[in-house]
Every structure is written in structure tokens, then in C-alpha cells.
Amino acid sequence: MKPSSFFWPVSAALLSLAMNQAVAKETERPLIPIAKAEEIAPFCERGLAGARTQAANMEKLPKARPGDAKKVFADWNNLQITLEDVQGPVEIWNNVSPDPTVRSNAEACLVEVSKFATDLYQSKKLYSRFKAVKPGDAVEKKLRQDVMEGFEDTGVSLPPEKRARMKAILEKMEVLSQEFARNIRDNNQKLSFTPDEVKGLPEDYLARAKRDEKGNYLLGFEYPDYNPFMEYADNSDARRRYQIAFANRGTPRNVPLLKQAMALRLEMAQLFGLKSYAHYVVRRRMALTPEAVNKFLDEVKGAVTELEKKELEELREFKAQTLQQPLAQTKMERWDVGYWQQKLKQARYNIDQNALRKYFPTDAAVPWALHVSSTLYGIEFKPVEGVPVWHDDVKYYDVFDTKSRERIGGIYLDLFPRDGKYGHAAAFPIRGVSTLAHRTPISVLVANFDRTGLNGDELETLVHEFGHVLHGVLSSTRYVTQSGTSVERDFVEAPSQMYEEWARRKESLTLLSSFCKTQCPAIDDALLQRMTAAHNYGRGIRYARQLLYASFDMNLHKEVAGDPLAIWEKMEGATPLGHVAGTEFPGQFGHLMGGYAAGYYGYMWSEVLALDMLSRYNGTLMNPETGTLYRKAILARGSEMRGNDLVRSFLGRKPNSKAFFAEISGTRLTN
């Protein structure tokens, strides 16, 4: 199940309407409700009560026959919609509400949703209904397969004692996941830096930073605070102190939580007679086996290991030259990398990431991203005033198909940092589409951007997350569980990774200046070439780090559950930069507790497909014909087909990894 949305305001009448709406055409715009803390528990209880009633009624039906497929699938679709209409808004409240009590109460509801889901997928009566029916077409066949695998992976066919243990494990895992995320999200620690320690940082950064009574700068863990500091602060000791605190922002409590999760996952896999949690997970992914994943990671290692060493040595030499000190006495520390990369890019390519913000003002970059998406995919975004939102920064847009003039969905944009908010950038597909139920989708883009302007990396992040948003709102699937980003986890990043290219190419970037409220400089060929060169520099370091994360993840989920911190220290210690003593990175590696366990490799696996799909545009990124084909072949289909088949349908051939390995080795050519 994935997050979804509901209607506002929260009321018993609207809740009743939602339960019946699965079979009635929408007459109102669906929106996310804005709830007070005391409203969440009743909202959750009423919603889950409705879902339980639906499930119980389905269990009482006569035994299904092969010809009952459409009814079985429609009943299931209605139930999943009911469940989405509970989980969706609660997921948003939990991650973005400014009220800590709202977040806490939402967290409690999500635990109850997880318990219900486990009970649902352990129902032998419902499982038998899917086993009995014969699908009428390929979409129904894929749905039946996905749902049956969901039942089987939850333990429906296990002996009673193992099934009960599976239920207990899943319930505990949800509690651990929520606690892990809360420890990071609610960490409001501020570090104090003296005026001497912030030398080198841009004036606009310092002007907006909070200060204490002594005039020291108070900085937290939001990305607009942390990232510029690590790239511009001249004081190496200050960067070291900030990096250690950032790596430990999950607090000491999170590493033990991760260790508990590892043990529970291994036990879960063993209930099914599987060797490891990686075997349990990957068998449902594109990769199919952990062995295939490890082979892929070995290939990546072969491509980036020497390149990483070469780039780090270049940085060390540049540092020695800049500081006018002997090379033998110059060491490159982990907290040095971002700073000296930025310095080298300025010297070699005349690119200053902070200076790029004037080219990409935030209030221009957002409408630009909407415009690019509109042009490519034949859609229109219309802002709607007066929509209730959880914070004044949040904006809502209706999404229309330009050809039919039909409203096909809605999106929320929540782009700026605040205390208690989800700390990364993400798209939440909170409400899935179902053409059978006349249900339109909603996605929420959550980020933590600088309000004044974006640098090149942040512009890529914006379009990356927009790729996920589009995957949600441009989906047009028959059944809600197949909508949007419900694809395999090692494919889900591909559409968003491919979209990053639009933040790097002249054809799309030159359109941005027309959205500036005041005149902003246009991007000429010379600047674009320098930006491209600066982006390409450091790919060895970048991919080597991704390789480390993916390899660490796979090592955590082997046949024996070890100590995550010890495994990390050993693995990071074997890298050229070594391990930074006193850091507990696993305690803030949220992906491992948020659905990417034994799946982090999927980021690079998806990029293989993203770069291969990019070739279909043949160097003409703003071509609406190709965009329309992509919308129909990939975005609209959700998980109605397997990832490999989706890509094959778009490319007209079997996908391959040539473009990916050309990218990470620095030999990819762009038009």
C-alpha cells in the first residue's frame, strides 16, 4: 500500500461519502483534510472501521468461481480506496505538520493502519477468492499476481504459529520505522558557530541565519543550512564539527532500532525458508536475486574505483597548491571534499554553485518546471486559491489534460524548511488513480529549498521530485493499487532520474529566465558548457558513495544479522577517505527504515533504465511527441506491466546498461 489522500474538512458526513465514492463519479475536487490533533484518532478509527466492514463483507461472500474476476477485483479496489483515504492524509500530517501533537497522533494512526493491513493480507478467505478467479486480460493478470504475492509475503500460507509470528514482526517493524523517522525529524538541535568559523559563506546565507545573544550563528540540520556550509565555510574544524553532528542527527537511539529491524527482517525471511531478507525482498524486484544485485554492484565498483581515487588525488593536489603547502603534508578529509570540489570548480570551470542562484530564482524555477512538464506531456497546472493547507507556504494546483480539458488530478507543493518537517526532498503519491472508480490522483512534493534561489544541484532535485509527482498524477490505471509509483522499487526512481536531464540542457534551461519576476541573467552556451563540466567532475566520488550505501545495505541483510555500526565502520574504513571516528551514519540512513532495505541498489539500477530511456528523445528534450509517447507508455501505466516490459514498450527494444556505464565512466555524449 502507498499513501493517499482524502477530502476536507474532516467530518463524519464526508467520511461516509468517501466510503461510498469508490463506485461513484467524483463531483467535487478531492483535497487533503486539515485536521486538529484531537480529530486524528476519530478520523482513523472511523476510516479503519469502514475498511474492516468492507473486508468482513467480502469474506462472507460465496466462494469465488473463475468467472468472478471482475467482481473480486472491483471489491478489492474499493477496499484499497477506503484504506488509502485513511492512510493518505495521515501520512502527510505525520511528515509535514508544524504541530508536533498532530505528527504524534498521525504516527499512532499509521501503526493501526499497518496492523489492519497485516490482518487483511493474512485473510485466507480473501486469498482464496483471488486464487479461484481467472483474469480476463493482462491488466487483471498482473493485478492478481501482485495481490497474491502480497498475501503470500505477509504469511497467509504459513502454519498458524509462523503466521502469528509474522504478524508480530510486521507490527513491530512499523513501530520501529516510525520511531526511527521521528528521532531524525524532531531533532531541532542547533549548532553554534562564531563569526570566524563562518568566514567564506555567502553574505545572503549569513544574513538570514539565526544568531544568539553573543552574535554566534545558530545552524540546524536543514539542507539550506548544512549544504552551503560544507561547500563554503573556510574553517576546516567547523566543517568537521558540523559533519559529525549531521551524521549523528538520528541520535544514539537509532542505531539500536536499526539493529532490531535487521534481526526481525532476517527472522521474517527464515519463516519462509529463505536465506536472508535480501532474498525475501529482491525476488519481487526487477533484479530477482541478491546475486544479480551483487554482480551489478561489482560492475559499478570496477567502473568507479580508480576514478574516485584519481579525483581525490586531484583534490588533494589542488588543496596543497591553494594553501601553498607540501603535498606530502596535505590530507584530504571527508569534510574537505565538498569544500575543495567547490573551490576546484570555481578555479577550473568558473562555476560557483551559490552564484547560480541568481539564474534560478526559486519563484521562477517552480513555474518553469510546471511549464516544461506542461509542454512535454500535454497538461496544464492551474493554481487554486483558498484551498485549506497545513502551512502558508503550501500551494495547490489542479492538473488538466490540455486536449480533453478534463481535470485529471491535483498536486501540492511544500518547498521550504521548517521545524518538524520531513528533512529531505520527496514526492508523496497520497491518492492513487482508478479509472474503474472514476478516482483522480493527488501527489505532494515536499522539499527544503532556499527561498531565494536554487543552485544547479537543487534545480536537479526539483525536477527529480517532479518526475515522481508526474508519475502519480499522470497515471491512468484501472485499479488503484497499480497506480503511479507502485512499480518495482528498483524501477521507481527511473522516471525522476531521467527528468533530471531537463535541469542540465540548453533546450529546457533557456526557458527559465522568462519566468523571472525581475530580470535574471540568461544561460548562454559558454555558461552551460561550464555547468556541464562542473557537474561531470566528481562523478567517481559521487557514484563510489552510492556504491558504498548500496553495498552496506546488502551487507546488512545477509544470512547473519550483524552489528550495523560495526559493518559501516569497516566498510567506510576501507574507502580512500576512511571512516570518520565518532560518526554513526547508519542511525540517520532513513532509506533503510523507510522501504529501501535490501533495495538501495535500486537508485543505480533505476538510473540504468533512466539513461537508456533518455535515448528515445534523440537529443530533442522538448519534443511533445516523444513526451506524449512517454506519458502513455510509462507514466500512465503505473505497475500494470513489469518495469522491463514498460521500458521495452517505450524504447521498442530490450533495455541495456550502455548509457549508464558511459555516464559513470565519463564517456557519455550529449547533444
Side-chain angles (χ1 to χ4, degrees), residues 121-122 124 127 151-167 169-170 267-273 280:
Y121 278 92
Q122 287 194 347
K124 285 182 171 291
Y127 177 59
F151 277 104
E152 291 158 6
D153 290 351
T154 312
V156 70
S157 298
L158 292 174
E161 67 280 4
K162 288 187 176 182
R163 189 164 63 248
R165 181 55 185 160
M166 184 67 176
K167 178 180 178 180
I169 290 174
L170 291 172
E267 183 183 355
M268 182 192 305
Q270 291 171 340
L271 290 175
F272 293 88
Y280 172 83

Side-chain angles (χ1 to χ4, degrees), residues 94 161 312 381 397 410 556 593:
N94 180 237
E161 67 280 4
L312 288 172
F381 298 89
Y397 297 79
L556 290 189
M593 297 291 281

